[in-house]
Amino acid sequence: MTDTTPAVAMQGVNAWFGATHVLRAIDLTVAPAETLVICGPSGSGKSTLIRAVNGLVAHQSGTIRVAGLALDGSAKATDAVRARVGMVFQAFNLFPHLTVLENCTLAPLHVRRLGLKAARELALGHLDRVGLADKADSAPAELSGGQQQRVAIARALCLEPQVMLFDEPTSALDPEMVGEVLDVLTDLAAGGTTLLCVTHEMGFARAVADRVVFMDEGQIVEIAPPEDFFDRPRHPRTQGFLSRIL
Ligand code: ADP
Ligand code: MG
């Protein structure tokens, strides 16, 4: 990959679930180190869009490339893309029977084939980055929701991914824990991680996003830097959405 290869490039992407046309002619290019926030009403296709980026949802037409690698439907391409993309969901999905450290060393050991010592060092480094190195030997159930989500982020970072995908990473958290997770995302964005994040946290979007995407009915309706997006939304549907949530 050269410096000019987009982290994510989607061209003319369409996807259907049965008869439902869930992604409509999506064109989206994300530069390396860019932070993109994706917002829009429930059912607009936000989760489907970011899941398509790591092949969790198949697209029926158009092209999707991650760091230059095309998702062509083959298992080989899908595996290669997934090894480059970290994903964090609303529910933390930690393995409950493994320690925090073991959750984080799984992918390094089994996907990246590192030795145990290297995998543990890598995992401890990323746990330290999210402020939880001291919880390495804890069980997930011993942690708060915010801490569990920070572990989920560290676990995804252990892939050393070229792109990080977040699907409403703070929506399942008690309000007092939202800030600590957004702080980690802010740190990642500042550190040059390429980040696509679906969220309703518009304060975060305004402060951290390079561009904000508004989706409705499977389409990208508007995409703009946050100052334009929030202060001068161009599309009536964006204006309506913002007036309801802000
Ligand atoms: P959002 O994340 O913006 O709320 P989604 O991407 O989850 O929206 O959903 C987009 C559309 O696709 C909705 O109409 C939803 O009902 C439909 N959908 C999502 N997942 C599936 C699925 N696995 N099977 C069938 N329809 C789905
Ligand atoms: Mg969703």
Side-chain angles (χ1 to χ4, degrees):
M1 190 175 86
T2 65
D3 284 344
T4 52
T5 306
V8 176
M10 306 176 84
Q11 281 178 320
V13 171
N14 287 278
W16 285 263
F17 286 127
T20 314
H21 196 174
V22 286
L23 294 180
R24 297 172 180 256
I26 298 290
D27 292 318
L28 180 65
T29 303
V30 184
E34 193 174 19
T35 296
L36 212 71
V37 163
I38 301 164
C39 62
S42 180
S44 58
K46 307 180 298 296
S47 295
T48 305
L49 177 79
I50 63 164
R51 283 160 179 262
V53 171
N54 71 349
L56 280 175
V57 166
H59 57 290
Q60 280 76 46
S61 70
T63 59
I64 302 178
R65 283 195 168 78
V66 177
L69 201 78
L71 277 164
D72 59 9
S74 70
K76 191 169 174 235
T78 305
D79 287 349
V81 165
R82 283 190 194 154
R84 301 169 181 215
V85 176
M87 180 140 188
V88 176
F89 300 89
Q90 183 174 332
F92 332 121
N93 298 323
L94 297 177
F95 295 105
H97 57 291
L98 300 179
T99 66
V100 162
L101 186 65
E102 288 165 346
N103 267 278
C104 292
T105 53
L106 271 185
L109 289 172
H110 300 290
V111 180
R112 302 186 59 211
R113 309 257 173 221
L114 298 186
L116 188 58
K117 185 162 178 283
R120 292 170 71 100
E121 275 171 17
L122 177 74
L124 281 170
H126 288 301
L127 284 169
D128 189 44
R129 189 164 183 195
V130 302
L132 290 172
D134 59 329
K135 301 290 186 190
D137 297 320
S138 300
E142 296 173 86
L143 306 185
S144 72
Q147 289 172 329
Q148 289 186 51
Q149 191 61 308
R150 284 151 61 198
V151 172
I153 295 169
R155 182 175 62 174
L157 289 172
C158 284
L159 275 174
E160 312 254 275
Q162 275 158 326
V163 178
M164 284 282 286
L165 307 175
F166 293 87
D167 194 355
E168 302 199 23
T170 60
S171 295
L173 296 176
D174 292 333
E176 71 270 24
M177 294 170 187
V178 169
E180 66 192 69
V181 172
L182 293 181
D183 285 348
V184 169
L185 289 176
T186 303
D187 170 62
L188 292 181
T193 302
T194 309
L195 210 147
L196 276 68
C197 182
V198 176
T199 183
H200 301 293
E201 296 288 339
M202 292 297 116
F204 169 78
R206 190 187 269 275
V208 178
D210 293 305
R211 290 184 296 162
V212 184
V213 175
F214 174 66
M215 288 189 75
D216 197 13
E217 299 181 351
Q219 291 175 306
I220 292 179
V221 171
E222 186 152 350
I223 178 164
E227 50 282 11
D228 294 330
F229 185 85
F230 290 108
D231 299 336
R232 293 173 288 280
R234 290 168 59 171
H235 198 288
R237 281 197 272 176
T238 317
Q239 293 161 5
F241 176 75
L242 290 174
S243 69
R244 283 193 297 282
I245 63 160
L246 292 180

